[in-house]
Amino acid sequence: MEKMVNVFLFGKKYEVPASLTIMTAMEYAGYQLVRGCGCRNGFCGACATIYRIKGDKELKACLACQTQVEDNMYVATLPFFPLVKQVYDIEKVTPSQQIMMQLYPEIYACIGCNACTKSCTQDLNVMQYIAYAQRGDHEKCAEESFDCVMCGVCSSRCPAGISHPQVAELSRRIYGKYIAPETQHLLDRVKEIEDGKYVELIETLMNKPIEELKELYNNREIEK
Amino acid sequence: MYKYTQEQLDSMKKVEATRQERLNNLFARMSADEKQKVLKENHPDYIDSAYEELKVGPNKGGKVLHELADLLQGRSRVLDMDLDLTKPDYDVDVLVIGGGGSGSCAAIEADNAGAKVMMVTKLRIGDANTMMAEGGIQAADKPNDSPAIHYLDAFGGGHFAAKPELLYKLVNDAPDCIKWLNELGVMFDKDKDGTMITTHGGGTSRKRMHACKDYSGAEIMRTLRDEVLNRGIPVVDFTSAIELIKDVEGKVAGAVLLNMETKEIKIARAKTVVIATGGAGRLHYQGFPTSNHYGATADGLVLGYRAGAKLLYADTLQYHPTGVAEPTQIFGALVTEKVRSLGAQLVNKDGEAFVYSLETRDVTASSIIRECRQRDNGIKTTDGEGVWLDTPMIEMIGGEGTIEKRIPAMLRMFGKYGIDIRKEPILVYPTLHYQNGGLDISADGMTTNVPNLFVAGEAVGGIHGRNRLMGNSLLDIIVFGRNAGKSVGKVYKNVELKELTLDHVKAFDKELKDAGLNPTKLSPQLLPNYTIQKDI
Ligand SMILES: Cc1cc2nc3c(=O)[nH]c(=O)nc-3n(C[C@H](O)[C@H](O)[C@H](O)COP(=O)(O)OP(=O)(O)OC[C@H]3O[C@@H](n4cnc5c(N)ncnc54)[C@H](O)[C@@H]3O)c2cc1C
Ligand code: FES
């Protein structure tokens, strides 16, 4: 017999196999999911969920698709949270601190409670990356926030009303575009292609009979 | 520590024992003949009983898997509806169906061209296969590489079946697409001097796999999403296209939309339509688990097919060699190929390597299936069987810290279940991963036989031939997504729509009946059903 546990979905009790995730437990209970389910694999942040184990003081947050059920788990999903995303033109922003002050001034109201970090479903140091953003250190903010799936749990716990994932998104784009070192070999190759340097080479290949291409393919040199 | 069975633990010991030896002596690559043999005997694409002949439609007489045939020849939802097409709820120049990477690229480029664009998507924008891509994206931008070498790798890897004009575009536009993404702010892995950190992928002859740690797709997708939102392009989420609308001249002219939550129907009139609905993993072909997102149900193929568009290579699927076999909670989830690019080997129950780690995907997957089914060298798992993927080798080769730095998502995914992939190998088995085939297009992105119907991304067939190399799909969604966006950005200007109609749907239904089919299954599928059916 498979081991079963009791979970409370939105307060209602269901008995489900202990091996399930919160997401598959909901389906087992009969919910046909539409909201709150995207990639089913920890990348999209659609399945943010809050839970408490009966008797525990601590409220925990997780991704429903990545978390196994436990006995006496009280579950509430958070399929949407009103994050604020400011609109900007990536071509016109400058890699400065001012941009944060303009677009997301509320980050300077952070009271340092660390509730964001404690609730992060990816175990990121959220408060730290907000501190980097405050200073306009986009590189560090981008690096520290890189694994963010933008589920929004941090923001739901924030007394200052910060939309952490959106702040980090801005920093990452600024870093990627303006601060990360330029790739010369990429620019060179794009130029060569624009100049038509490879047209003939590829066209010659395209016009070869399949048998000859097979020969070439099977004997091609492979970089170590 | 994860609760492995005793048999699994014993086998794991053998893997450890042979590690150093295997590191020093790499398993040899297969010859062309050996590859053919392992494919024929083991690859799911070669199992005849899984296939059936299509009885109606543009590919009548062609073969597809039963699950797809049921949908292509399924019953349209609009047949039971009384719809007024004369008062559309939306009226746009460009309707993009699907909020993944290819749809976002198409929307951005069409917006650039000045078109009035609207995107509809089944879940939220970014709830898509694109978000899940881990390994990376190919482009021949290093001095020892060239688009011609990329062409040969991809053409051979796809069994010489790609449409040459599409593949030409793919490889030739690749560097420019990387540059475009970089300029949108995508954070590629780079050295201090700006040189891209690139690795091999299965079937590449040069190290041209660009990555953003192992969140490559997520980093690209969230950047594209941010850009779509910055531009104010309307995104109608939780809304699926359930049928294409045409005008009386036979041009595509919009779509019937279904609100996934309220079931409300809306009509979108559009001068051009881009199908960017992605793959089909959630159809679970031949009972395989899948790495795909929740909404990957081949809808675009069904929409296009009923509107008269041809399919190309819809019979070939990609089974990724390394889906998770254990723990059961993440059964079928993807273990990125990058794990093998970084040096992890595939090993059987006795600790022996049995295949060169970076053969093309179909060959590697077939070798794993052979190892388990023909040779009985697999390891039993909760849901079936699997082989080891020896992850600790990565740090023996690349040094301590390599795993955390290069594949953090993998470390985290297994870490949640008490498995430290730096110290212990993991169990894997092939998982349904990618739809190689799809709708047939020309180089401008338009279907070959339905005017003004464009397709981009995984819903396209023919770019890669009969197998796709890792990293060429993220590339194709950018190249062909942008390409479709640019094309519609020109085409819409000269389109004059006539009266809208769904007669083609009725005609298709009549064809079904004439062929003796009387389907009850509604299609497209939209979502899989994982609940236990309770009749009330
Ligand atoms: C786990 C995983 C890892 C991968 N890793 C790599 C990699 O490393 N490198 C690589 O090159 N490729 C990789 N791939 C493949 C690649 O990511 C996908 O093929 C590609 O991103 C598909 O993009 P797309 O835009 O065509 O489809 P998607 O990104 O899937 O977007 C399609 C969108 O359309 C929506 N949709 C579907 N039907 C409808 C409908 N009827 N109406 C409205 N909307 C609809 C979907 O919900 C979705 O949002 C990976 C794929 C997966 C699943
Ligand atoms: S469904 Fe995407 S993170 Fe859980």
Side-chain angles (χ1 to χ4, degrees):
Chain A
M1 244 314 269
E2 199 166 2
K3 189 173 166 237
M4 306 293 277
V5 293
N6 287 326
V7 293
F8 296 79
L9 304 176
F10 309 102
K12 182 166 169 52
K13 180 167 136 185
Y14 293 92
E15 198 183 357
V16 305
S19 62
L20 300 183
T21 60
I22 295 175
M23 182 171 283
T24 50
M26 289 183 76
E27 289 170 336
Y28 182 90
Y31 284 87
Q32 166 79 38
L33 302 176
V34 176
R35 240 172 229 276
C37 178
C39 67
R40 302 181 72 99
N41 199 20
F43 286 94
C44 76
C47 64
T49 294
I50 304 177
Y51 69 91
R52 189 197 297 281
I53 306 296
K54 192 175 173 183
D56 229 358
K57 274 212 202 68
E58 199 186 349
L59 196 59
K60 294 199 172 140
C62 69
L63 297 174
C65 68
Q66 297 293 295
T67 309
Q68 201 170 344
V69 289
E70 290 174 49
D71 205 19
N72 287 321
M73 187 181 228
Y74 282 77
V75 175
T77 59
L78 189 71
F80 173 77
F81 189 80
L83 292 179
V84 176
K85 179 197 144 38
Q86 299 296 354
V87 166
Y88 58 93
D89 182 344
I90 189 70
E91 293 301 329
K92 299 209 177 106
V93 296
T94 47
S96 61
Q97 187 188 3
Q98 273 79 358
I99 187 73
M100 283 296 170
M101 292 178 172
Q102 271 166 24
L103 294 179
Y104 294 107
E106 64 278 9
I107 62 174
Y108 297 97
C110 169
I111 59 166
C113 70
N114 210 27
C116 50
T117 302
K118 279 192 219 141
S119 67
C120 179
T121 59
Q122 292 282 86
D123 297 326
L124 303 180
N125 194 343
V126 184
M127 197 170 84
Q128 183 64 59
Y129 81 59
I130 291 297
Y132 291 136
Q134 287 171 341
R135 276 180 249 155
D137 190 338
H138 297 291
E139 175 168 2
K140 288 226 174 73
C141 179
E143 203 47 55
E144 195 76 38
S145 71
F146 193 80
D147 297 3
C148 173
V149 295
M150 305 183 83
C151 69
V153 169
C154 50
S155 305
S156 76
R157 310 286 291 144
C158 178
I162 298 171
S163 291
H164 315 67
Q166 297 296 358
V167 172
E169 179 65 59
L170 173 62
S171 265
R172 283 194 302 270
R173 287 190 69 183
I174 288 179
Y175 175 74
K177 181 174 175 64
Y178 293 107
I179 304 171
E182 277 243 69
T183 304
Q184 196 53 48
H185 64 83
L186 176 62
L187 300 178
D188 294 347
R189 180 56 45 84
V190 171
K191 176 87 180 34
E192 285 173 1
I193 291 173
E194 273 168 14
D195 295 343
K197 183 168 168 195
Y198 297 98
V199 178
E200 218 187 297
L201 223 75
I202 310 181
E203 279 177 354
T204 323
L205 271 182
M206 286 167 75
N207 293 328
K208 282 192 199 300
I210 297 282
E211 282 317 310
E212 203 176 315
L213 282 168
K214 283 191 178 164
E215 242 345 87
L216 279 173
Y217 177 72
N218 290 329
N219 298 308
R220 74 204 197 286
E221 175 210 342
I222 295 181
E223 180 182 359
K224 275 274 178 257
Chain B
M1 176 77 193
Y2 184 72
K3 241 179 109 34
Y4 281 111
T5 62
Q6 194 53 49
E7 191 188 329
Q8 290 171 337
L9 286 172
D10 293 344
S11 171
M12 197 191 287
K13 289 236 167 60
K14 295 184 188 159
V15 176
E16 277 162 24
T18 57
R19 192 169 287 145
Q20 190 61 51
E21 171 67 22
R22 281 182 286 109
L23 187 65
N24 300 339
N25 300 301
L26 287 191
F27 201 88
R29 281 172 211 271
M30 278 185 221
S31 68
D33 289 344
E34 285 168 329
K35 286 183 199 166
Q36 264 318 308
K37 184 167 152 60
V38 73
L39 283 173
K40 281 236 165 66
E41 291 176 3
N42 300 280
H43 197 276
D45 276 3
Y46 289 85
I47 298 179
D48 281 339
S49 61
Y51 286 84
E52 71 184 65
E53 213 170 84
L54 287 169
K55 296 219 175 80
V56 302
N59 289 70
K60 187 171 163 179
K63 286 201 165 170
V64 295
L65 287 154
H66 299 308
E67 295 87 344
L68 184 59
D70 282 352
L71 294 171
L72 291 174
Q73 302 178 146
R75 182 170 172 78
S76 168
R77 286 178 180 78
V78 306
L79 291 170
D80 304 318
M81 292 174 183
D82 189 18
L83 300 172
D84 180 3
L85 303 180
T86 61
K87 295 189 201 69
D89 302 280
Y90 306 101
D91 199 354
V92 294
D93 299 327
V94 177
L95 174 67
V96 176
I97 305 175
S102 59
S104 302
C105 288
I108 292 169
E109 289 294 0
D111 179 63
N112 261 342
K116 184 176 167 198
V117 188
M118 180 173 94
M119 182 188 273
V120 296
T121 195
K122 190 187 296 187
L123 302 165
R124 307 172 309 170
I125 177 173
D127 292 350
N129 282 359
T130 304
M131 192 62 103
M132 311 175 74
E134 298 161 15
I137 175 166
Q138 289 199 38
D141 61 8
K142 291 272 173 93
N144 72 342
D145 200 0
S146 84
I149 304 177
H150 191 176
Y151 185 96
L152 190 61
D153 283 351
F155 199 57
H159 305 299
F160 308 93
K163 275 178 101 166
E165 71 270 29
L166 300 185
L167 189 52
Y168 178 110
K169 192 154 189 62
L170 183 80
V171 298
N172 208 48
D173 289 5
D176 184 56
C177 280
I178 301 289
K179 177 166 173 274
W180 185 72
L181 290 173
N182 194 132
E183 285 170 359
L184 282 174
V186 168
M187 286 171 59
F188 286 105
D189 295 344
K190 294 180 184 180
D191 279 336
K192 290 216 163 49
D193 67 355
T195 306
M196 292 281 179
I197 300 176
T198 52
T199 51
H200 270 304
T204 56
S205 69
R206 295 291 183 278
K207 293 182 181 168
R208 73 169 78 86
M209 194 69 59
H210 302 60
C212 317
K213 306 201 178 13
D214 59 351
Y215 285 98
S216 303
E219 169 63 359
I220 290 172
M221 186 67 237
R222 63 198 180 191
T223 304
L224 293 172
R225 173 174 60 195
D226 198 59
E227 184 62 18
V228 167
L229 299 177
N230 276 352
R231 286 163 176 265
I233 297 171
V235 179
V236 184
D237 57 3
F238 293 101
T239 299
S240 291
I242 56 167
E243 211 65 73
L244 294 175
I245 299 172
K246 289 188 173 182
D247 76 356
V248 287
E249 288 178 344
K251 312 194 289 286
V252 84
V256 180
L257 309 178
L258 170 73
N259 182 318
M260 296 294 286
E261 297 187 303
T262 64
K263 308 293 174 205
E264 189 183 13
I265 294 288
K266 298 259 185 191
I267 304 296
R269 194 175 102 117
K271 291 180 177 157
T272 56
V273 174
V274 181
I275 291 182
T277 50
R282 292 283 157 191
L283 297 184
H284 296 289
Y285 292 126
Q286 303 194 40
F288 272 86
T290 184
S291 62
N292 286 193
H293 87 288
Y294 190 41
T297 50
D299 297 357
L301 273 50
V302 177
L303 298 178
Y305 196 71
R306 277 213 278 262
K310 275 204 298 273
L311 297 170
L312 185 61
Y313 304 141
D315 57 325
T316 113
L317 278 297
Q318 183 167 81
Y319 301 82
H320 193 290
T322 58
V324 174
E326 195 85 73
T328 173
Q329 288 81 11
I330 46 174
F331 178 53
L334 186 74
V335 176
T336 170
E337 184 164 312
K338 205 161 147 201
V339 174
R340 280 173 289 136
S341 301
L342 292 172
Q345 290 177 356
L346 290 160
V347 182
N348 68 19
K349 69 173 180 198
D350 296 318
E352 299 155 352
F354 56 88
V355 63
Y356 172 70
S357 312
L358 290 173
E359 298 284 6
T360 52
R361 284 189 174 165
D362 47 359
V363 171
T364 314
S366 302
S367 304
I368 295 174
I369 296 174
R370 174 173 68 188
E371 203 61 18
C372 293
R373 296 198 189 155
Q374 267 187 23
R375 298 179 176 165
D376 199 19
N377 279 335
I379 300 99
K380 272 206 196 57
T381 62
T382 313
D383 302 279
E385 54 193 338
V387 296
W388 295 107
L389 180 57
D390 198 7
T391 45
M393 298 184 74
I394 294 174
E395 304 220 321
M396 290 168 81
I397 297 167
E400 212 173 299
T402 308
I403 288 182
E404 190 172 1
K405 191 154 170 50
R406 304 289 294 282
I407 45 171
M410 289 297 100
L411 184 65
R412 177 178 286 120
M413 182 165 91
F414 283 92
K416 290 215 162 127
Y417 299 96
I419 297 171
D420 185 345
I421 67 170
R422 292 170 296 199
K423 307 213 167 70
E424 350 163 32
I426 53 183
L427 284 162
V428 296
Y429 194 77
T431 187
L432 178 53
H433 186 57
Y434 184 77
Q435 169 178 277
N436 290 320
L439 295 161
D440 191 11
I441 59 167
S442 347
D444 61 357
M446 184 143 68
T447 50
T448 47
N449 57 347
V450 181
N452 302 345
L453 178 60
F454 291 74
V455 193
E458 199 171 331
V460 176
I463 301 172
H464 310 280
R466 300 187 65 85
N467 175 52
R468 166 195 64 107
L469 301 188
M470 168 196 177
N472 273 351
S473 171
L474 274 183
L475 175 61
D476 101 42
I477 67 172
I478 309 298
V479 170
F480 287 91
R482 291 183 69 197
N483 183 51
K486 287 180 192 167
S487 295
V488 291
K490 287 187 211 127
V491 168
Y492 86 90
K493 291 178 181 147
N494 302 314
V495 175
E496 211 184 299
L497 289 179
K498 297 285 157 39
E499 192 190 328
L500 305 195
T501 166
L502 285 165
D503 283 351
H504 59 285
V505 180
K506 290 181 202 131
F508 191 90
D509 190 56
K510 179 162 181 309
E511 260 190 80
L512 287 173
K513 298 223 162 81
D514 291 348
L517 297 171
N518 209 341
T520 49
K521 186 175 175 57
L522 292 176
S523 78
Q525 168 90 39
L526 306 180
L527 288 176
N529 188 343
Y530 295 137
T531 61
I532 306 166
Q533 286 295 316
K534 294 173 190 130
D535 284 328
I536 28 169

